Amino acid sequence: MWVPSHIGVRGNTVADRAAAEAHSLPSPIDMTTDLTDSLTNLQTTCNRQWDTELTDALQYTSLGRIRHDTRHHWWTHSPSRVLDTAVTRLRIGHTRLNAHLHKLGMTDDPHCPWCPTYLDTPEHLLLQCPRHHSHRTALLQSLYPLLLRRPTLADLLGGSPDPGLAFKILKHTRTFLQKSGQLHRI
């Protein structure tokens, strides 16, 4: 179907004249990069700054003993939100264990309920407390083929640089947490 052009339409003629006049003027703005490139560059710069600040901050937190970078660690996630929450709390040290609650002024005694001379910390719960000896023995036996040495707190909480190994160890740690019945304290 034939459609007449906009020649002779008053508003269109004025717009065409303004556009032609603008083309004859020197460009005041260098438009070598478009908006998409600028936003990508801004996002990259912000992410790099965030990573630098977070990596520096890690060395001053309890998480810094387990994690030394800000990359996403897929192997720390499981299908169970309760277990993910417990592992995350243990990793950052913000638990319901007495040592942390004492720091917050929420309990008078920072010691383990079963070991009155030891602080109730994630390390004590996972590696030392005699109350959980049978579960810990099962954990250590399951980890021996993977580590060939006694695990550290960092090992148990996904600190291995090998993602496959970290995933396997965390699976056993989650089993320990379930069987020991201590999830409510974490």
Side-chain angles (χ1 to χ4, degrees), residues 31-46:
M31 299 297 286
T32 56
T33 57
D34 66 7
L35 184 58
T36 304
D37 289 340
S38 297
L39 290 175
T40 301
N41 291 340
L42 178 62
Q43 184 176 11
T44 301
T45 302
C46 289

Side-chain angles (χ1 to χ4, degrees), residues 3 26 48 56 98 174:
V3 177
R48 191 175 302 125
D56 291 346
N98 287 339
R174 289 182 181 105

Side-chain angles (χ1 to χ4, degrees), residues 84-110:
D84 275 351
T85 300
V87 168
T88 298
R89 286 179 178 172
L90 289 166
R91 293 177 89 213
I92 63 176
H94 291 270
T95 64
R96 295 183 194 120
L97 299 174
N98 287 339
H100 183 66
L101 294 177
H102 182 72
K103 284 181 185 178
L104 299 175
M106 297 174 72
T107 186
D108 294 331
D109 186 10

Side-chain angles (χ1 to χ4, degrees), residues 53-89:
E53 288 184 23
L54 187 56
T55 299
D56 291 346
L58 281 174
Q59 65 183 320
Y60 301 108
T61 67
S62 57
L63 182 58
R65 291 181 291 162
I66 298 160
R67 188 171 172 178
H68 305 288
D69 59 35
T70 58
R71 291 173 307 165
H72 175 68
H73 292 179
W74 62 266
W75 60 89
T76 60
H77 301 288
S78 77
S80 167
R81 179 162 168 72
V82 172
L83 289 171
D84 275 351
T85 300
V87 168
T88 298
R89 286 179 178 172

